[in-house]
């Protein structure tokens, strides 16, 4: 470093070593202007073009995203409407099924009551038929027993069937009138 100061002292100038020479400043300014012009003419337009394309892509992406979001919102609204309609339809079907179930239940009750009435009527008819059969059997048995008793009491045979039938009927009528119990009641 001392050699720089010695060289400057020998030339006899009091120049500051930090300040460049005028020709250096001139050529540096020319280079700066050429590089600045090249940047201004070629690099900055390309950079501006790339930035514009990016901003267009971003804006297009935002617009596309907004369109997709609006479409998704419309689809969501449509699905919600369909879901509401489906819920209403399900409620209507449930109510219709409940009504049909009540109708079927009422019909089954009516049918069951009619069947029960028919069974009871058939039972009464069968009981009446059995009662009549028993009464008929008892009358004939009672008639034979009466004829047998009459034959034993009289000591002779009561063989005439017409007389037997008339005697049996008369005996049963008297029995009904005297005992107060009605056969067949």
């Amino acid at each position: 470093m001392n050699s720089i100061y010695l060289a400057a002292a020998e030339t006899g100038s009091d120049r500051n070593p930090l300040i460049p020479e005028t020709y250096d400043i001139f050529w540096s300014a020319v280079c700066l202007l050429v590089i600045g012009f090249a940047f201004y003419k070629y690099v900055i337009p390309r950079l501006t073009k790339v930035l514009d394309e990016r901003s267009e892509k971003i804006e297009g992406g935002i617009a596309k995203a907004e369109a997709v979001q609006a479409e998704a919102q419309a689809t969501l609204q449509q699905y919600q409407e369909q879901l509401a309609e489906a819920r209403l339809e399900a409620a209507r079907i449930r109510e219709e099924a409940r009504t049909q179930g009540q109708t079927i239940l009422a019909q089954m009750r009516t049918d069951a009551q009619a069947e029960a009435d028919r069974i009871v009527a058939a039972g009464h008819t069968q009981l009446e038929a059995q009662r009549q059969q028993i009464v008929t059997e008892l009358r004939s048995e009672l008639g034979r027993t009466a004829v047998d008793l009459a034959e034993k009491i009289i000591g002779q045979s009561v063989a005439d069937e017409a007389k037997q039938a008339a005697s049996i009927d008369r005996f049963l009528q008297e029995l009904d009138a005297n005992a107060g119990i009605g056969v067949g009641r």
Side-chain angles (χ1 to χ4, degrees), residues 16 19 32 39-40 44 47 53 59 74 77 83 87 132 150 160 163 172 175-176 181-182:
N16 187 356
I19 298 178
L32 183 65
F39 258 88
Y40 181 76
I44 291 179
L47 183 63
E53 286 175 1
E59 288 174 3
Q77 183 68 26
L83 182 61
R87 285 181 179 155
Q132 289 296 329
D160 186 12
K163 286 183 182 178
L172 289 174
L175 188 64
D176 282 343
I181 57 167

PDB file of all heavy atoms in Angstrom, residues 16 19 32 39-40 44 47 53 59 74 77 83 87 132 150 160 163 172 175-176 181-182:
ATOM      1  N   ASN A  16      -7.099  12.174  -5.233  1.00  0.00           N
ATOM      2  CA  ASN A  16      -7.672  11.194  -4.311  1.00  0.00           C
ATOM      3  C   ASN A  16      -7.706   9.845  -5.035  1.00  0.00           C
ATOM      4  O   ASN A  16      -8.232   9.732  -6.138  1.00  0.00           O
ATOM      5  CB  ASN A  16      -9.073  11.635  -3.900  1.00  0.00           C
ATOM      6  CG  ASN A  16      -9.662  10.767  -2.813  1.00  0.00           C
ATOM      7  OD1 ASN A  16      -9.060   9.776  -2.389  1.00  0.00           O
ATOM      8  ND2 ASN A  16     -10.813  11.146  -2.343  1.00  0.00           N
ATOM      9  N   ILE A  19     -11.310   8.354  -6.210  1.00  0.00           N
ATOM     10  CA  ILE A  19     -12.060   8.935  -7.313  1.00  0.00           C
ATOM     11  C   ILE A  19     -11.416   8.448  -8.602  1.00  0.00           C
ATOM     12  O   ILE A  19     -10.223   8.649  -8.826  1.00  0.00           O
ATOM     13  CB  ILE A  19     -12.057  10.465  -7.242  1.00  0.00           C
ATOM     14  CG1 ILE A  19     -12.737  10.904  -5.955  1.00  0.00           C
ATOM     15  CG2 ILE A  19     -12.778  11.040  -8.453  1.00  0.00           C
ATOM     16  CD1 ILE A  19     -12.751  12.383  -5.750  1.00  0.00           C
ATOM     17  N   LEU A  32     -23.069   1.473 -18.971  1.00  0.00           N
ATOM     18  CA  LEU A  32     -24.326   1.465 -18.212  1.00  0.00           C
ATOM     19  C   LEU A  32     -25.489   1.826 -19.116  1.00  0.00           C
ATOM     20  O   LEU A  32     -26.572   1.222 -19.028  1.00  0.00           O
ATOM     21  CB  LEU A  32     -24.214   2.437 -17.035  1.00  0.00           C
ATOM     22  CG  LEU A  32     -25.430   2.483 -16.110  1.00  0.00           C
ATOM     23  CD1 LEU A  32     -25.626   1.157 -15.394  1.00  0.00           C
ATOM     24  CD2 LEU A  32     -25.280   3.602 -15.101  1.00  0.00           C
ATOM     25  N   PHE A  39     -31.634  -3.723 -21.472  1.00  0.00           N
ATOM     26  CA  PHE A  39     -32.638  -4.155 -20.489  1.00  0.00           C
ATOM     27  C   PHE A  39     -33.999  -3.570 -20.835  1.00  0.00           C
ATOM     28  O   PHE A  39     -35.012  -4.259 -20.809  1.00  0.00           O
ATOM     29  CB  PHE A  39     -32.219  -3.721 -19.074  1.00  0.00           C
ATOM     30  CG  PHE A  39     -31.636  -4.831 -18.263  1.00  0.00           C
ATOM     31  CD1 PHE A  39     -30.282  -5.124 -18.309  1.00  0.00           C
ATOM     32  CD2 PHE A  39     -32.454  -5.590 -17.435  1.00  0.00           C
ATOM     33  CE1 PHE A  39     -29.750  -6.141 -17.564  1.00  0.00           C
ATOM     34  CE2 PHE A  39     -31.919  -6.605 -16.686  1.00  0.00           C
ATOM     35  CZ  PHE A  39     -30.561  -6.895 -16.742  1.00  0.00           C
ATOM     36  N   TYR A  40     -34.010  -2.260 -21.155  1.00  0.00           N
ATOM     37  CA  TYR A  40     -35.263  -1.569 -21.449  1.00  0.00           C
ATOM     38  C   TYR A  40     -35.897  -2.103 -22.730  1.00  0.00           C
ATOM     39  O   TYR A  40     -37.106  -2.241 -22.808  1.00  0.00           O
ATOM     40  CB  TYR A  40     -35.006  -0.057 -21.568  1.00  0.00           C
ATOM     41  CG  TYR A  40     -36.252   0.744 -21.842  1.00  0.00           C
ATOM     42  CD1 TYR A  40     -37.175   0.986 -20.821  1.00  0.00           C
ATOM     43  CD2 TYR A  40     -36.512   1.241 -23.110  1.00  0.00           C
ATOM     44  CE1 TYR A  40     -38.307   1.706 -21.082  1.00  0.00           C
ATOM     45  CE2 TYR A  40     -37.657   1.960 -23.369  1.00  0.00           C
ATOM     46  CZ  TYR A  40     -38.570   2.189 -22.349  1.00  0.00           C
ATOM     47  OH  TYR A  40     -39.708   2.901 -22.610  1.00  0.00           O
ATOM     48  N   ILE A  44     -36.997  -6.068 -20.079  1.00  0.00           N
ATOM     49  CA  ILE A  44     -38.185  -5.561 -19.377  1.00  0.00           C
ATOM     50  C   ILE A  44     -39.465  -5.929 -20.125  1.00  0.00           C
ATOM     51  O   ILE A  44     -40.436  -6.360 -19.492  1.00  0.00           O
ATOM     52  CB  ILE A  44     -38.049  -4.045 -19.117  1.00  0.00           C
ATOM     53  CG1 ILE A  44     -36.958  -3.814 -18.081  1.00  0.00           C
ATOM     54  CG2 ILE A  44     -39.372  -3.460 -18.647  1.00  0.00           C
ATOM     55  CD1 ILE A  44     -36.706  -2.378 -17.745  1.00  0.00           C
ATOM     56  N   LEU A  47     -40.077  -9.583 -19.409  1.00  0.00           N
ATOM     57  CA  LEU A  47     -40.442  -9.717 -18.002  1.00  0.00           C
ATOM     58  C   LEU A  47     -41.872  -9.231 -17.786  1.00  0.00           C
ATOM     59  O   LEU A  47     -42.663  -9.874 -17.081  1.00  0.00           O
ATOM     60  CB  LEU A  47     -39.458  -8.925 -17.127  1.00  0.00           C
ATOM     61  CG  LEU A  47     -39.664  -9.028 -15.619  1.00  0.00           C
ATOM     62  CD1 LEU A  47     -39.453 -10.462 -15.146  1.00  0.00           C
ATOM     63  CD2 LEU A  47     -38.718  -8.093 -14.895  1.00  0.00           C
ATOM     64  N   GLU A  53     -48.789 -12.506 -18.281  1.00  0.00           N
ATOM     65  CA  GLU A  53     -49.332 -13.852 -18.484  1.00  0.00           C
ATOM     66  C   GLU A  53     -49.651 -14.518 -17.138  1.00  0.00           C
ATOM     67  O   GLU A  53     -50.685 -15.157 -16.975  1.00  0.00           O
ATOM     68  CB  GLU A  53     -48.335 -14.711 -19.271  1.00  0.00           C
ATOM     69  CG  GLU A  53     -48.241 -14.370 -20.726  1.00  0.00           C
ATOM     70  CD  GLU A  53     -47.163 -15.164 -21.451  1.00  0.00           C
ATOM     71  OE1 GLU A  53     -46.487 -16.003 -20.800  1.00  0.00           O
ATOM     72  OE2 GLU A  53     -46.997 -14.951 -22.665  1.00  0.00           O
ATOM     73  N   GLU A  59     -55.728 -14.561 -12.630  1.00  0.00           N
ATOM     74  CA  GLU A  59     -57.090 -14.037 -12.714  1.00  0.00           C
ATOM     75  C   GLU A  59     -58.028 -15.063 -13.351  1.00  0.00           C
ATOM     76  O   GLU A  59     -59.166 -15.216 -12.918  1.00  0.00           O
ATOM     77  CB  GLU A  59     -57.107 -12.731 -13.505  1.00  0.00           C
ATOM     78  CG  GLU A  59     -56.493 -11.571 -12.749  1.00  0.00           C
ATOM     79  CD  GLU A  59     -56.372 -10.314 -13.600  1.00  0.00           C
ATOM     80  OE1 GLU A  59     -56.827 -10.341 -14.761  1.00  0.00           O
ATOM     81  OE2 GLU A  59     -55.832  -9.324 -13.098  1.00  0.00           O
ATOM     82  N   ALA A  74     -74.512 -24.269  -6.746  1.00  0.00           N
ATOM     83  CA  ALA A  74     -75.774 -24.597  -7.425  1.00  0.00           C
ATOM     84  C   ALA A  74     -76.079 -26.081  -7.295  1.00  0.00           C
ATOM     85  O   ALA A  74     -77.227 -26.478  -7.042  1.00  0.00           O
ATOM     86  CB  ALA A  74     -75.695 -24.191  -8.894  1.00  0.00           C
ATOM     87  N   GLN A  77     -77.205 -26.729  -3.792  1.00  0.00           N
ATOM     88  CA  GLN A  77     -78.593 -26.276  -3.647  1.00  0.00           C
ATOM     89  C   GLN A  77     -79.553 -27.281  -4.279  1.00  0.00           C
ATOM     90  O   GLN A  77     -80.585 -27.613  -3.704  1.00  0.00           O
ATOM     91  CB  GLN A  77     -78.763 -24.888  -4.287  1.00  0.00           C
ATOM     92  CG  GLN A  77     -80.140 -24.306  -4.123  1.00  0.00           C
ATOM     93  CD  GLN A  77     -80.446 -23.951  -2.683  1.00  0.00           C
ATOM     94  OE1 GLN A  77     -79.560 -23.691  -1.891  1.00  0.00           O
ATOM     95  NE2 GLN A  77     -81.719 -23.955  -2.344  1.00  0.00           N
ATOM     96  N   LEU A  83     -83.025 -33.561  -1.671  1.00  0.00           N
ATOM     97  CA  LEU A  83     -83.095 -34.197  -0.363  1.00  0.00           C
ATOM     98  C   LEU A  83     -84.381 -33.800   0.350  1.00  0.00           C
ATOM     99  O   LEU A  83     -85.047 -34.649   0.951  1.00  0.00           O
ATOM    100  CB  LEU A  83     -81.873 -33.809   0.478  1.00  0.00           C
ATOM    101  CG  LEU A  83     -81.775 -34.428   1.865  1.00  0.00           C
ATOM    102  CD1 LEU A  83     -81.690 -35.945   1.768  1.00  0.00           C
ATOM    103  CD2 LEU A  83     -80.552 -33.883   2.595  1.00  0.00           C
ATOM    104  N   ARG A  87     -87.297 -36.305   1.397  1.00  0.00           N
ATOM    105  CA  ARG A  87     -87.829 -36.388   2.764  1.00  0.00           C
ATOM    106  C   ARG A  87     -89.344 -36.240   2.761  1.00  0.00           C
ATOM    107  O   ARG A  87     -90.044 -36.954   3.470  1.00  0.00           O
ATOM    108  CB  ARG A  87     -87.190 -35.312   3.639  1.00  0.00           C
ATOM    109  CG  ARG A  87     -85.773 -35.632   4.020  1.00  0.00           C
ATOM    110  CD  ARG A  87     -85.173 -34.583   4.908  1.00  0.00           C
ATOM    111  NE  ARG A  87     -83.803 -34.957   5.255  1.00  0.00           N
ATOM    112  CZ  ARG A  87     -82.882 -34.096   5.595  1.00  0.00           C
ATOM    113  NH1 ARG A  87     -83.161 -32.810   5.665  1.00  0.00           N
ATOM    114  NH2 ARG A  87     -81.663 -34.508   5.889  1.00  0.00           N
ATOM    115  N   GLN A 132    -131.374 -81.331  19.580  1.00  0.00           N
ATOM    116  CA  GLN A 132    -132.543 -81.979  18.989  1.00  0.00           C
ATOM    117  C   GLN A 132    -132.334 -83.488  18.883  1.00  0.00           C
ATOM    118  O   GLN A 132    -133.232 -84.275  19.156  1.00  0.00           O
ATOM    119  CB  GLN A 132    -132.842 -81.395  17.591  1.00  0.00           C
ATOM    120  CG  GLN A 132    -133.392 -79.990  17.609  1.00  0.00           C
ATOM    121  CD  GLN A 132    -134.748 -79.930  18.287  1.00  0.00           C
ATOM    122  OE1 GLN A 132    -135.531 -80.874  18.252  1.00  0.00           O
ATOM    123  NE2 GLN A 132    -135.008 -78.802  18.937  1.00  0.00           N
ATOM    124  N   ALA A 150    -144.980 -99.979  31.427  1.00  0.00           N
ATOM    125  CA  ALA A 150    -146.426-100.197  31.290  1.00  0.00           C
ATOM    126  C   ALA A 150    -146.713-101.679  31.116  1.00  0.00           C
ATOM    127  O   ALA A 150    -147.687-102.211  31.676  1.00  0.00           O
ATOM    128  CB  ALA A 150    -146.985 -99.407  30.123  1.00  0.00           C
ATOM    129  N   ASP A 160    -149.060-102.646  19.888  1.00  0.00           N
ATOM    130  CA  ASP A 160    -149.521-101.767  18.814  1.00  0.00           C
ATOM    131  C   ASP A 160    -148.658-100.499  18.829  1.00  0.00           C
ATOM    132  O   ASP A 160    -148.611 -99.772  19.822  1.00  0.00           O
ATOM    133  CB  ASP A 160    -150.993-101.440  19.045  1.00  0.00           C
ATOM    134  CG  ASP A 160    -151.578-100.659  17.891  1.00  0.00           C
ATOM    135  OD1 ASP A 160    -150.916-100.571  16.837  1.00  0.00           O
ATOM    136  OD2 ASP A 160    -152.676-100.110  18.059  1.00  0.00           O
ATOM    137  N   LYS A 163    -150.489 -97.140  19.293  1.00  0.00           N
ATOM    138  CA  LYS A 163    -150.862 -96.924  20.688  1.00  0.00           C
ATOM    139  C   LYS A 163    -149.620 -96.562  21.496  1.00  0.00           C
ATOM    140  O   LYS A 163    -149.676 -95.721  22.383  1.00  0.00           O
ATOM    141  CB  LYS A 163    -151.514 -98.182  21.267  1.00  0.00           C
ATOM    142  CG  LYS A 163    -152.915 -98.415  20.771  1.00  0.00           C
ATOM    143  CD  LYS A 163    -153.485 -99.619  21.458  1.00  0.00           C
ATOM    144  CE  LYS A 163    -154.889 -99.929  20.945  1.00  0.00           C
ATOM    145  NZ  LYS A 163    -155.465-101.118  21.565  1.00  0.00           N
ATOM    146  N   LEU A 172    -145.066 -87.872  27.727  1.00  0.00           N
ATOM    147  CA  LEU A 172    -144.085 -86.782  27.682  1.00  0.00           C
ATOM    148  C   LEU A 172    -144.750 -85.434  27.878  1.00  0.00           C
ATOM    149  O   LEU A 172    -144.193 -84.546  28.543  1.00  0.00           O
ATOM    150  CB  LEU A 172    -143.310 -86.800  26.356  1.00  0.00           C
ATOM    151  CG  LEU A 172    -142.313 -87.952  26.196  1.00  0.00           C
ATOM    152  CD1 LEU A 172    -141.729 -87.945  24.802  1.00  0.00           C
ATOM    153  CD2 LEU A 172    -141.207 -87.870  27.232  1.00  0.00           C
ATOM    154  N   LEU A 175    -145.434 -85.136  31.448  1.00  0.00           N
ATOM    155  CA  LEU A 175    -144.170 -84.935  32.156  1.00  0.00           C
ATOM    156  C   LEU A 175    -143.714 -83.488  32.027  1.00  0.00           C
ATOM    157  O   LEU A 175    -143.273 -82.881  33.007  1.00  0.00           O
ATOM    158  CB  LEU A 175    -143.112 -85.903  31.609  1.00  0.00           C
ATOM    159  CG  LEU A 175    -141.794 -85.954  32.356  1.00  0.00           C
ATOM    160  CD1 LEU A 175    -142.007 -86.461  33.773  1.00  0.00           C
ATOM    161  CD2 LEU A 175    -140.815 -86.840  31.632  1.00  0.00           C
ATOM    162  N   ASP A 176    -143.857 -82.943  30.828  1.00  0.00           N
ATOM    163  CA  ASP A 176    -143.474 -81.551  30.605  1.00  0.00           C
ATOM    164  C   ASP A 176    -144.349 -80.614  31.420  1.00  0.00           C
ATOM    165  O   ASP A 176    -143.870 -79.645  32.013  1.00  0.00           O
ATOM    166  CB  ASP A 176    -143.583 -81.171  29.123  1.00  0.00           C
ATOM    167  CG  ASP A 176    -142.417 -81.685  28.292  1.00  0.00           C
ATOM    168  OD1 ASP A 176    -141.384 -82.049  28.883  1.00  0.00           O
ATOM    169  OD2 ASP A 176    -142.541 -81.722  27.043  1.00  0.00           O
ATOM    170  N   ILE A 181    -140.006 -78.687  33.565  1.00  0.00           N
ATOM    171  CA  ILE A 181    -138.770 -78.621  32.803  1.00  0.00           C
ATOM    172  C   ILE A 181    -139.116 -78.923  31.378  1.00  0.00           C
ATOM    173  O   ILE A 181    -139.743 -79.931  31.067  1.00  0.00           O
ATOM    174  CB  ILE A 181    -137.695 -79.615  33.333  1.00  0.00           C
ATOM    175  CG1 ILE A 181    -138.208 -81.030  33.340  1.00  0.00           C
ATOM    176  CG2 ILE A 181    -137.231 -79.215  34.696  1.00  0.00           C
ATOM    177  CD1 ILE A 181    -137.137 -82.055  33.545  1.00  0.00           C
ATOM    178  N   GLY A 182    -138.773 -78.075  30.532  1.00  0.00           N
ATOM    179  CA  GLY A 182    -139.096 -78.271  29.118  1.00  0.00           C
ATOM    180  C   GLY A 182    -137.983 -78.962  28.419  1.00  0.00           C
ATOM    181  O   GLY A 182    -136.853 -78.497  28.439  1.00  0.00           O
TER     182      GLY A 182
END
